[in-house]
Amino acid sequence: MSQADANGGRLPDPAERGGLDISRVVLRKIAEHAADEVAAGARVRRRIAGVGLGEHGASAQLSGPDQELRVRLEVVLHYPSPVRTTVREMRERVGSELDRLAGCQVRTVDVTVAAMVPAARPRRVG
């Protein structure tokens, strides 16, 4: 359905008014965030030459066109966690979030588990 402009003329439908390009940086951030939301994923401290640079989670690289996107993830998982189940959940979440938020179709999600770190234990008071 078209809308009327101030002069009473008809404006084109919103989908016909222009294009949309989403930066690869944004797509990469969507993939990383989606992978980080999986419960067994871990954030680790980043250090270079002994200097702390904060924490980081999953790291993603993207290739291919937006309708056949190939994603490569490098992740750190909590130990002990079921690696196959966690990786399957990450693949599904990354694909669905890229489709939902950016309309991209993911062809593959390759996951490299770079490390496993102990799960944080609750502090004991006493």
Side-chain angles (χ1 to χ4, degrees), residues 21-62:
D21 290 319
I22 301 174
S23 166
R24 285 297 169 115
V25 172
V26 172
L27 297 177
R28 181 177 53 84
K29 292 291 188 181
I30 291 170
E32 290 171 347
H33 181 72
D36 285 342
E37 286 190 335
V38 173
R43 297 188 65 79
V44 293
R45 291 185 183 267
R46 185 182 310 216
R47 299 180 71 88
I48 296 178
V51 177
L53 300 174
E55 291 185 334
H56 71 93
S59 175
Q61 295 178 338
L62 301 144

PDB file of all heavy atoms in Angstrom, residues 21-62:
ATOM      1  N   ASP A  21      22.493  -1.791   2.227  1.00  0.00           N
ATOM      2  CA  ASP A  21      23.739  -2.547   2.308  1.00  0.00           C
ATOM      3  C   ASP A  21      24.143  -2.611   3.772  1.00  0.00           C
ATOM      4  O   ASP A  21      24.181  -1.582   4.447  1.00  0.00           O
ATOM      5  CB  ASP A  21      24.851  -1.871   1.508  1.00  0.00           C
ATOM      6  CG  ASP A  21      24.625  -1.960   0.011  1.00  0.00           C
ATOM      7  OD1 ASP A  21      24.199  -3.041  -0.452  1.00  0.00           O
ATOM      8  OD2 ASP A  21      24.861  -0.962  -0.688  1.00  0.00           O
ATOM      9  N   ILE A  22      24.435  -3.808   4.248  1.00  0.00           N
ATOM     10  CA  ILE A  22      24.878  -3.991   5.628  1.00  0.00           C
ATOM     11  C   ILE A  22      26.356  -4.328   5.584  1.00  0.00           C
ATOM     12  O   ILE A  22      26.772  -5.282   4.923  1.00  0.00           O
ATOM     13  CB  ILE A  22      24.079  -5.097   6.333  1.00  0.00           C
ATOM     14  CG1 ILE A  22      22.592  -4.734   6.333  1.00  0.00           C
ATOM     15  CG2 ILE A  22      24.575  -5.286   7.759  1.00  0.00           C
ATOM     16  CD1 ILE A  22      21.682  -5.810   6.861  1.00  0.00           C
ATOM     17  N   SER A  23      27.145  -3.547   6.295  1.00  0.00           N
ATOM     18  CA  SER A  23      28.596  -3.723   6.321  1.00  0.00           C
ATOM     19  C   SER A  23      28.968  -5.113   6.819  1.00  0.00           C
ATOM     20  O   SER A  23      28.317  -5.677   7.703  1.00  0.00           O
ATOM     21  CB  SER A  23      29.204  -2.663   7.242  1.00  0.00           C
ATOM     22  OG  SER A  23      30.543  -2.966   7.554  1.00  0.00           O
ATOM     23  N   ARG A  24      30.038  -5.650   6.264  1.00  0.00           N
ATOM     24  CA  ARG A  24      30.548  -6.940   6.728  1.00  0.00           C
ATOM     25  C   ARG A  24      30.968  -6.881   8.191  1.00  0.00           C
ATOM     26  O   ARG A  24      30.901  -7.883   8.898  1.00  0.00           O
ATOM     27  CB  ARG A  24      31.730  -7.403   5.861  1.00  0.00           C
ATOM     28  CG  ARG A  24      31.307  -7.926   4.503  1.00  0.00           C
ATOM     29  CD  ARG A  24      30.436  -9.166   4.702  1.00  0.00           C
ATOM     30  NE  ARG A  24      29.794  -9.578   3.487  1.00  0.00           N
ATOM     31  CZ  ARG A  24      30.044 -10.720   2.871  1.00  0.00           C
ATOM     32  NH1 ARG A  24      30.931 -11.550   3.337  1.00  0.00           N
ATOM     33  NH2 ARG A  24      29.385 -11.024   1.778  1.00  0.00           N
ATOM     34  N   VAL A  25      31.373  -5.721   8.656  1.00  0.00           N
ATOM     35  CA  VAL A  25      31.730  -5.571  10.076  1.00  0.00           C
ATOM     36  C   VAL A  25      30.504  -5.840  10.938  1.00  0.00           C
ATOM     37  O   VAL A  25      30.579  -6.527  11.956  1.00  0.00           O
ATOM     38  CB  VAL A  25      32.310  -4.164  10.360  1.00  0.00           C
ATOM     39  CG1 VAL A  25      32.500  -3.940  11.848  1.00  0.00           C
ATOM     40  CG2 VAL A  25      33.613  -3.974   9.616  1.00  0.00           C
ATOM     41  N   VAL A  26      29.355  -5.333  10.519  1.00  0.00           N
ATOM     42  CA  VAL A  26      28.111  -5.545  11.264  1.00  0.00           C
ATOM     43  C   VAL A  26      27.728  -7.022  11.224  1.00  0.00           C
ATOM     44  O   VAL A  26      27.353  -7.605  12.247  1.00  0.00           O
ATOM     45  CB  VAL A  26      26.980  -4.658  10.713  1.00  0.00           C
ATOM     46  CG1 VAL A  26      25.642  -5.006  11.348  1.00  0.00           C
ATOM     47  CG2 VAL A  26      27.308  -3.189  10.921  1.00  0.00           C
ATOM     48  N   LEU A  27      27.818  -7.647  10.064  1.00  0.00           N
ATOM     49  CA  LEU A  27      27.502  -9.073   9.955  1.00  0.00           C
ATOM     50  C   LEU A  27      28.425  -9.908  10.836  1.00  0.00           C
ATOM     51  O   LEU A  27      27.981 -10.850  11.495  1.00  0.00           O
ATOM     52  CB  LEU A  27      27.588  -9.531   8.501  1.00  0.00           C
ATOM     53  CG  LEU A  27      26.610  -8.877   7.524  1.00  0.00           C
ATOM     54  CD1 LEU A  27      26.862  -9.379   6.108  1.00  0.00           C
ATOM     55  CD2 LEU A  27      25.174  -9.093   7.944  1.00  0.00           C
ATOM     56  N   ARG A  28      29.706  -9.540  10.866  1.00  0.00           N
ATOM     57  CA  ARG A  28      30.667 -10.255  11.719  1.00  0.00           C
ATOM     58  C   ARG A  28      30.286 -10.107  13.184  1.00  0.00           C
ATOM     59  O   ARG A  28      30.301 -11.074  13.950  1.00  0.00           O
ATOM     60  CB  ARG A  28      32.082  -9.729  11.468  1.00  0.00           C
ATOM     61  CG  ARG A  28      33.145 -10.433  12.296  1.00  0.00           C
ATOM     62  CD  ARG A  28      34.544  -9.933  11.952  1.00  0.00           C
ATOM     63  NE  ARG A  28      34.691  -8.496  12.033  1.00  0.00           N
ATOM     64  CZ  ARG A  28      34.955  -7.823  13.164  1.00  0.00           C
ATOM     65  NH1 ARG A  28      35.087  -8.467  14.302  1.00  0.00           N
ATOM     66  NH2 ARG A  28      35.097  -6.519  13.136  1.00  0.00           N
ATOM     67  N   LYS A  29      29.908  -8.903  13.595  1.00  0.00           N
ATOM     68  CA  LYS A  29      29.517  -8.662  14.992  1.00  0.00           C
ATOM     69  C   LYS A  29      28.255  -9.446  15.356  1.00  0.00           C
ATOM     70  O   LYS A  29      28.141  -9.956  16.469  1.00  0.00           O
ATOM     71  CB  LYS A  29      29.295  -7.172  15.249  1.00  0.00           C
ATOM     72  CG  LYS A  29      30.549  -6.344  15.172  1.00  0.00           C
ATOM     73  CD  LYS A  29      31.452  -6.653  16.326  1.00  0.00           C
ATOM     74  CE  LYS A  29      32.616  -5.684  16.349  1.00  0.00           C
ATOM     75  NZ  LYS A  29      33.533  -5.966  17.437  1.00  0.00           N
ATOM     76  N   ILE A  30      27.303  -9.548  14.427  1.00  0.00           N
ATOM     77  CA  ILE A  30      26.106 -10.345  14.678  1.00  0.00           C
ATOM     78  C   ILE A  30      26.490 -11.804  14.925  1.00  0.00           C
ATOM     79  O   ILE A  30      26.015 -12.441  15.864  1.00  0.00           O
ATOM     80  CB  ILE A  30      25.109 -10.235  13.503  1.00  0.00           C
ATOM     81  CG1 ILE A  30      24.511  -8.824  13.441  1.00  0.00           C
ATOM     82  CG2 ILE A  30      24.006 -11.293  13.613  1.00  0.00           C
ATOM     83  CD1 ILE A  30      23.708  -8.549  12.174  1.00  0.00           C
ATOM     84  N   ALA A  31      27.370 -12.341  14.079  1.00  0.00           N
ATOM     85  CA  ALA A  31      27.806 -13.737  14.222  1.00  0.00           C
ATOM     86  C   ALA A  31      28.521 -13.950  15.552  1.00  0.00           C
ATOM     87  O   ALA A  31      28.260 -14.930  16.255  1.00  0.00           O
ATOM     88  CB  ALA A  31      28.710 -14.131  13.050  1.00  0.00           C
ATOM     89  N   GLU A  32      29.421 -13.041  15.910  1.00  0.00           N
ATOM     90  CA  GLU A  32      30.161 -13.172  17.173  1.00  0.00           C
ATOM     91  C   GLU A  32      29.223 -13.090  18.368  1.00  0.00           C
ATOM     92  O   GLU A  32      29.325 -13.885  19.314  1.00  0.00           O
ATOM     93  CB  GLU A  32      31.246 -12.100  17.258  1.00  0.00           C
ATOM     94  CG  GLU A  32      32.372 -12.333  16.268  1.00  0.00           C
ATOM     95  CD  GLU A  32      33.355 -11.177  16.173  1.00  0.00           C
ATOM     96  OE1 GLU A  32      33.077 -10.063  16.690  1.00  0.00           O
ATOM     97  OE2 GLU A  32      34.421 -11.384  15.556  1.00  0.00           O
ATOM     98  N   HIS A  33      28.315 -12.147  18.343  1.00  0.00           N
ATOM     99  CA  HIS A  33      27.370 -11.995  19.457  1.00  0.00           C
ATOM    100  C   HIS A  33      26.487 -13.229  19.599  1.00  0.00           C
ATOM    101  O   HIS A  33      26.246 -13.715  20.709  1.00  0.00           O
ATOM    102  CB  HIS A  33      26.524 -10.739  19.259  1.00  0.00           C
ATOM    103  CG  HIS A  33      25.564 -10.492  20.363  1.00  0.00           C
ATOM    104  ND1 HIS A  33      25.958 -10.061  21.612  1.00  0.00           N
ATOM    105  CD2 HIS A  33      24.221 -10.627  20.417  1.00  0.00           C
ATOM    106  CE1 HIS A  33      24.899  -9.947  22.387  1.00  0.00           C
ATOM    107  NE2 HIS A  33      23.835 -10.277  21.684  1.00  0.00           N
ATOM    108  N   ALA A  34      25.999 -13.745  18.476  1.00  0.00           N
ATOM    109  CA  ALA A  34      25.153 -14.938  18.513  1.00  0.00           C
ATOM    110  C   ALA A  34      25.913 -16.123  19.103  1.00  0.00           C
ATOM    111  O   ALA A  34      25.369 -16.867  19.926  1.00  0.00           O
ATOM    112  CB  ALA A  34      24.646 -15.268  17.116  1.00  0.00           C
ATOM    113  N   ALA A  35      27.164 -16.303  18.706  1.00  0.00           N
ATOM    114  CA  ALA A  35      27.969 -17.408  19.246  1.00  0.00           C
ATOM    115  C   ALA A  35      28.233 -17.211  20.735  1.00  0.00           C
ATOM    116  O   ALA A  35      28.188 -18.165  21.514  1.00  0.00           O
ATOM    117  CB  ALA A  35      29.284 -17.522  18.483  1.00  0.00           C
ATOM    118  N   ASP A  36      28.476 -15.973  21.143  1.00  0.00           N
ATOM    119  CA  ASP A  36      28.755 -15.689  22.554  1.00  0.00           C
ATOM    120  C   ASP A  36      27.552 -15.933  23.455  1.00  0.00           C
ATOM    121  O   ASP A  36      27.707 -16.139  24.654  1.00  0.00           O
ATOM    122  CB  ASP A  36      29.226 -14.242  22.738  1.00  0.00           C
ATOM    123  CG  ASP A  36      30.652 -14.025  22.281  1.00  0.00           C
ATOM    124  OD1 ASP A  36      31.400 -15.013  22.144  1.00  0.00           O
ATOM    125  OD2 ASP A  36      31.026 -12.851  22.064  1.00  0.00           O
ATOM    126  N   GLU A  37      26.341 -15.914  22.898  1.00  0.00           N
ATOM    127  CA  GLU A  37      25.144 -16.116  23.708  1.00  0.00           C
ATOM    128  C   GLU A  37      24.900 -17.578  24.062  1.00  0.00           C
ATOM    129  O   GLU A  37      24.065 -17.869  24.912  1.00  0.00           O
ATOM    130  CB  GLU A  37      23.921 -15.540  22.999  1.00  0.00           C
ATOM    131  CG  GLU A  37      23.895 -14.032  23.040  1.00  0.00           C
ATOM    132  CD  GLU A  37      22.585 -13.466  22.550  1.00  0.00           C
ATOM    133  OE1 GLU A  37      21.886 -14.135  21.765  1.00  0.00           O
ATOM    134  OE2 GLU A  37      22.263 -12.347  22.970  1.00  0.00           O
ATOM    135  N   VAL A  38      25.615 -18.481  23.446  1.00  0.00           N
ATOM    136  CA  VAL A  38      25.479 -19.901  23.789  1.00  0.00           C
ATOM    137  C   VAL A  38      26.112 -20.107  25.168  1.00  0.00           C
ATOM    138  O   VAL A  38      27.220 -19.646  25.442  1.00  0.00           O
ATOM    139  CB  VAL A  38      26.145 -20.794  22.716  1.00  0.00           C
ATOM    140  CG1 VAL A  38      26.152 -22.249  23.145  1.00  0.00           C
ATOM    141  CG2 VAL A  38      25.434 -20.617  21.388  1.00  0.00           C
ATOM    142  N   ALA A  39      25.392 -20.801  26.039  1.00  0.00           N
ATOM    143  CA  ALA A  39      25.758 -20.890  27.452  1.00  0.00           C
ATOM    144  C   ALA A  39      27.175 -21.408  27.708  1.00  0.00           C
ATOM    145  O   ALA A  39      27.855 -20.919  28.602  1.00  0.00           O
ATOM    146  CB  ALA A  39      24.752 -21.767  28.193  1.00  0.00           C
ATOM    147  N   ALA A  40      27.651 -22.370  26.950  1.00  0.00           N
ATOM    148  CA  ALA A  40      28.971 -22.954  27.226  1.00  0.00           C
ATOM    149  C   ALA A  40      30.117 -22.142  26.631  1.00  0.00           C
ATOM    150  O   ALA A  40      31.278 -22.435  26.875  1.00  0.00           O
ATOM    151  CB  ALA A  40      29.038 -24.384  26.705  1.00  0.00           C
ATOM    152  N   GLY A  41      29.804 -21.094  25.873  1.00  0.00           N
ATOM    153  CA  GLY A  41      30.849 -20.237  25.321  1.00  0.00           C
ATOM    154  C   GLY A  41      31.511 -19.435  26.431  1.00  0.00           C
ATOM    155  O   GLY A  41      30.870 -19.054  27.406  1.00  0.00           O
ATOM    156  N   ALA A  42      32.799 -19.185  26.295  1.00  0.00           N
ATOM    157  CA  ALA A  42      33.547 -18.473  27.335  1.00  0.00           C
ATOM    158  C   ALA A  42      34.164 -17.200  26.789  1.00  0.00           C
ATOM    159  O   ALA A  42      34.493 -17.109  25.608  1.00  0.00           O
ATOM    160  CB  ALA A  42      34.651 -19.382  27.891  1.00  0.00           C
ATOM    161  N   ARG A  43      34.305 -16.228  27.654  1.00  0.00           N
ATOM    162  CA  ARG A  43      35.051 -15.011  27.336  1.00  0.00           C
ATOM    163  C   ARG A  43      36.379 -15.130  28.067  1.00  0.00           C
ATOM    164  O   ARG A  43      36.418 -15.566  29.210  1.00  0.00           O
ATOM    165  CB  ARG A  43      34.289 -13.774  27.790  1.00  0.00           C
ATOM    166  CG  ARG A  43      32.962 -13.625  27.050  1.00  0.00           C
ATOM    167  CD  ARG A  43      32.285 -12.326  27.347  1.00  0.00           C
ATOM    168  NE  ARG A  43      33.023 -11.163  26.883  1.00  0.00           N
ATOM    169  CZ  ARG A  43      33.055 -10.716  25.625  1.00  0.00           C
ATOM    170  NH1 ARG A  43      32.393 -11.357  24.695  1.00  0.00           N
ATOM    171  NH2 ARG A  43      33.734  -9.650  25.295  1.00  0.00           N
ATOM    172  N   VAL A  44      37.454 -14.768  27.392  1.00  0.00           N
ATOM    173  CA  VAL A  44      38.781 -14.867  27.998  1.00  0.00           C
ATOM    174  C   VAL A  44      39.485 -13.522  27.916  1.00  0.00           C
ATOM    175  O   VAL A  44      39.190 -12.701  27.059  1.00  0.00           O
ATOM    176  CB  VAL A  44      39.632 -15.973  27.319  1.00  0.00           C
ATOM    177  CG1 VAL A  44      39.043 -17.345  27.589  1.00  0.00           C
ATOM    178  CG2 VAL A  44      39.747 -15.753  25.829  1.00  0.00           C
ATOM    179  N   ARG A  45      40.428 -13.327  28.825  1.00  0.00           N
ATOM    180  CA  ARG A  45      41.207 -12.084  28.822  1.00  0.00           C
ATOM    181  C   ARG A  45      42.166 -12.083  27.650  1.00  0.00           C
ATOM    182  O   ARG A  45      42.790 -13.081  27.337  1.00  0.00           O
ATOM    183  CB  ARG A  45      42.004 -11.941  30.107  1.00  0.00           C
ATOM    184  CG  ARG A  45      41.139 -11.696  31.303  1.00  0.00           C
ATOM    185  CD  ARG A  45      42.016 -11.429  32.529  1.00  0.00           C
ATOM    186  NE  ARG A  45      41.212 -11.265  33.692  1.00  0.00           N
ATOM    187  CZ  ARG A  45      40.781 -10.076  34.126  1.00  0.00           C
ATOM    188  NH1 ARG A  45      41.113  -8.994  33.485  1.00  0.00           N
ATOM    189  NH2 ARG A  45      40.032  -9.999  35.184  1.00  0.00           N
ATOM    190  N   ARG A  46      42.263 -10.936  27.006  1.00  0.00           N
ATOM    191  CA  ARG A  46      43.181 -10.762  25.887  1.00  0.00           C
ATOM    192  C   ARG A  46      44.394 -10.019  26.410  1.00  0.00           C
ATOM    193  O   ARG A  46      44.276  -8.961  27.011  1.00  0.00           O
ATOM    194  CB  ARG A  46      42.497  -9.953  24.789  1.00  0.00           C
ATOM    195  CG  ARG A  46      43.322  -9.832  23.534  1.00  0.00           C
ATOM    196  CD  ARG A  46      42.613  -8.987  22.509  1.00  0.00           C
ATOM    197  NE  ARG A  46      41.244  -9.437  22.328  1.00  0.00           N
ATOM    198  CZ  ARG A  46      40.609  -9.438  21.175  1.00  0.00           C
ATOM    199  NH1 ARG A  46      41.202  -9.009  20.097  1.00  0.00           N
ATOM    200  NH2 ARG A  46      39.377  -9.842  21.082  1.00  0.00           N
ATOM    201  N   ARG A  47      45.566 -10.588  26.173  1.00  0.00           N
ATOM    202  CA  ARG A  47      46.811  -9.968  26.615  1.00  0.00           C
ATOM    203  C   ARG A  47      47.820  -9.997  25.476  1.00  0.00           C
ATOM    204  O   ARG A  47      47.955 -10.991  24.796  1.00  0.00           O
ATOM    205  CB  ARG A  47      47.394 -10.707  27.815  1.00  0.00           C
ATOM    206  CG  ARG A  47      46.486 -10.704  29.035  1.00  0.00           C
ATOM    207  CD  ARG A  47      47.105 -11.453  30.194  1.00  0.00           C
ATOM    208  NE  ARG A  47      48.221 -10.734  30.765  1.00  0.00           N
ATOM    209  CZ  ARG A  47      48.140  -9.821  31.726  1.00  0.00           C
ATOM    210  NH1 ARG A  47      46.974  -9.522  32.217  1.00  0.00           N
ATOM    211  NH2 ARG A  47      49.205  -9.227  32.201  1.00  0.00           N
ATOM    212  N   ILE A  48      48.508  -8.891  25.304  1.00  0.00           N
ATOM    213  CA  ILE A  48      49.597  -8.819  24.336  1.00  0.00           C
ATOM    214  C   ILE A  48      50.789  -8.232  25.059  1.00  0.00           C
ATOM    215  O   ILE A  48      50.702  -7.150  25.637  1.00  0.00           O
ATOM    216  CB  ILE A  48      49.216  -7.951  23.110  1.00  0.00           C
ATOM    217  CG1 ILE A  48      48.057  -8.606  22.360  1.00  0.00           C
ATOM    218  CG2 ILE A  48      50.415  -7.765  22.193  1.00  0.00           C
ATOM    219  CD1 ILE A  48      47.561  -7.834  21.165  1.00  0.00           C
ATOM    220  N   ALA A  49      51.887  -8.959  25.034  1.00  0.00           N
ATOM    221  CA  ALA A  49      53.126  -8.536  25.711  1.00  0.00           C
ATOM    222  C   ALA A  49      52.866  -8.190  27.167  1.00  0.00           C
ATOM    223  O   ALA A  49      53.413  -7.227  27.701  1.00  0.00           O
ATOM    224  CB  ALA A  49      53.762  -7.362  24.978  1.00  0.00           C
ATOM    225  N   GLY A  50      52.012  -8.974  27.834  1.00  0.00           N
ATOM    226  CA  GLY A  50      51.751  -8.772  29.251  1.00  0.00           C
ATOM    227  C   GLY A  50      50.776  -7.655  29.575  1.00  0.00           C
ATOM    228  O   GLY A  50      50.482  -7.396  30.727  1.00  0.00           O
ATOM    229  N   VAL A  51      50.263  -6.987  28.554  1.00  0.00           N
ATOM    230  CA  VAL A  51      49.327  -5.892  28.776  1.00  0.00           C
ATOM    231  C   VAL A  51      47.909  -6.408  28.562  1.00  0.00           C
ATOM    232  O   VAL A  51      47.595  -6.971  27.508  1.00  0.00           O
ATOM    233  CB  VAL A  51      49.611  -4.721  27.804  1.00  0.00           C
ATOM    234  CG1 VAL A  51      48.578  -3.612  27.983  1.00  0.00           C
ATOM    235  CG2 VAL A  51      51.014  -4.198  27.995  1.00  0.00           C
ATOM    236  N   GLY A  52      47.060  -6.222  29.559  1.00  0.00           N
ATOM    237  CA  GLY A  52      45.675  -6.645  29.447  1.00  0.00           C
ATOM    238  C   GLY A  52      44.891  -5.747  28.511  1.00  0.00           C
ATOM    239  O   GLY A  52      44.964  -4.527  28.607  1.00  0.00           O
ATOM    240  N   LEU A  53      44.173  -6.358  27.569  1.00  0.00           N
ATOM    241  CA  LEU A  53      43.391  -5.592  26.599  1.00  0.00           C
ATOM    242  C   LEU A  53      41.900  -5.898  26.707  1.00  0.00           C
ATOM    243  O   LEU A  53      41.165  -5.779  25.741  1.00  0.00           O
ATOM    244  CB  LEU A  53      43.879  -5.889  25.174  1.00  0.00           C
ATOM    245  CG  LEU A  53      45.329  -5.560  24.884  1.00  0.00           C
ATOM    246  CD1 LEU A  53      45.723  -6.036  23.507  1.00  0.00           C
ATOM    247  CD2 LEU A  53      45.571  -4.068  25.004  1.00  0.00           C
ATOM    248  N   GLY A  54      41.452  -6.303  27.875  1.00  0.00           N
ATOM    249  CA  GLY A  54      40.043  -6.608  28.058  1.00  0.00           C
ATOM    250  C   GLY A  54      39.731  -8.052  27.755  1.00  0.00           C
ATOM    251  O   GLY A  54      40.609  -8.904  27.702  1.00  0.00           O
ATOM    252  N   GLU A  55      38.455  -8.331  27.567  1.00  0.00           N
ATOM    253  CA  GLU A  55      38.009  -9.688  27.297  1.00  0.00           C
ATOM    254  C   GLU A  55      37.479  -9.800  25.872  1.00  0.00           C
ATOM    255  O   GLU A  55      37.064  -8.807  25.279  1.00  0.00           O
ATOM    256  CB  GLU A  55      36.875 -10.073  28.243  1.00  0.00           C
ATOM    257  CG  GLU A  55      37.297 -10.234  29.674  1.00  0.00           C
ATOM    258  CD  GLU A  55      36.159 -10.734  30.542  1.00  0.00           C
ATOM    259  OE1 GLU A  55      34.986 -10.514  30.205  1.00  0.00           O
ATOM    260  OE2 GLU A  55      36.459 -11.347  31.559  1.00  0.00           O
ATOM    261  N   HIS A  56      37.514 -11.012  25.375  1.00  0.00           N
ATOM    262  CA  HIS A  56      36.903 -11.258  24.066  1.00  0.00           C
ATOM    263  C   HIS A  56      36.241 -12.621  24.072  1.00  0.00           C
ATOM    264  O   HIS A  56      36.599 -13.505  24.841  1.00  0.00           O
ATOM    265  CB  HIS A  56      37.936 -11.156  22.932  1.00  0.00           C
ATOM    266  CG  HIS A  56      38.919 -12.282  22.907  1.00  0.00           C
ATOM    267  ND1 HIS A  56      38.702 -13.404  22.153  1.00  0.00           N
ATOM    268  CD2 HIS A  56      40.094 -12.468  23.539  1.00  0.00           C
ATOM    269  CE1 HIS A  56      39.729 -14.242  22.322  1.00  0.00           C
ATOM    270  NE2 HIS A  56      40.576 -13.695  23.164  1.00  0.00           N
ATOM    271  N   GLY A  57      35.260 -12.766  23.219  1.00  0.00           N
ATOM    272  CA  GLY A  57      34.556 -14.030  23.065  1.00  0.00           C
ATOM    273  C   GLY A  57      34.887 -14.625  21.719  1.00  0.00           C
ATOM    274  O   GLY A  57      36.047 -14.648  21.291  1.00  0.00           O
ATOM    275  N   ALA A  58      33.856 -15.050  21.015  1.00  0.00           N
ATOM    276  CA  ALA A  58      34.032 -15.663  19.701  1.00  0.00           C
ATOM    277  C   ALA A  58      34.614 -14.660  18.715  1.00  0.00           C
ATOM    278  O   ALA A  58      34.365 -13.465  18.797  1.00  0.00           O
ATOM    279  CB  ALA A  58      32.688 -16.168  19.185  1.00  0.00           C
ATOM    280  N   SER A  59      35.390 -15.177  17.780  1.00  0.00           N
ATOM    281  CA  SER A  59      35.961 -14.367  16.708  1.00  0.00           C
ATOM    282  C   SER A  59      35.463 -14.954  15.389  1.00  0.00           C
ATOM    283  O   SER A  59      35.557 -16.162  15.175  1.00  0.00           O
ATOM    284  CB  SER A  59      37.483 -14.430  16.780  1.00  0.00           C
ATOM    285  OG  SER A  59      38.061 -13.765  15.693  1.00  0.00           O
ATOM    286  N   ALA A  60      34.914 -14.092  14.516  1.00  0.00           N
ATOM    287  CA  ALA A  60      34.324 -14.581  13.267  1.00  0.00           C
ATOM    288  C   ALA A  60      35.006 -13.968  12.057  1.00  0.00           C
ATOM    289  O   ALA A  60      35.477 -12.834  12.101  1.00  0.00           O
ATOM    290  CB  ALA A  60      32.837 -14.255  13.226  1.00  0.00           C
ATOM    291  N   GLN A  61      35.038 -14.744  10.979  1.00  0.00           N
ATOM    292  CA  GLN A  61      35.454 -14.269   9.661  1.00  0.00           C
ATOM    293  C   GLN A  61      34.358 -14.683   8.693  1.00  0.00           C
ATOM    294  O   GLN A  61      33.816 -15.779   8.786  1.00  0.00           O
ATOM    295  CB  GLN A  61      36.775 -14.902   9.230  1.00  0.00           C
ATOM    296  CG  GLN A  61      37.953 -14.506  10.087  1.00  0.00           C
ATOM    297  CD  GLN A  61      39.221 -15.208   9.618  1.00  0.00           C
ATOM    298  OE1 GLN A  61      39.186 -16.242   8.966  1.00  0.00           O
ATOM    299  NE2 GLN A  61      40.346 -14.635   9.974  1.00  0.00           N
ATOM    300  N   LEU A  62      34.035 -13.782   7.757  1.00  0.00           N
ATOM    301  CA  LEU A  62      32.963 -14.047   6.795  1.00  0.00           C
ATOM    302  C   LEU A  62      33.493 -14.008   5.378  1.00  0.00           C
ATOM    303  O   LEU A  62      34.387 -13.215   5.070  1.00  0.00           O
ATOM    304  CB  LEU A  62      31.869 -12.984   6.929  1.00  0.00           C
ATOM    305  CG  LEU A  62      31.244 -12.921   8.310  1.00  0.00           C
ATOM    306  CD1 LEU A  62      30.920 -11.507   8.684  1.00  0.00           C
ATOM    307  CD2 LEU A  62      30.012 -13.768   8.337  1.00  0.00           C
TER     308      LEU A  62
END
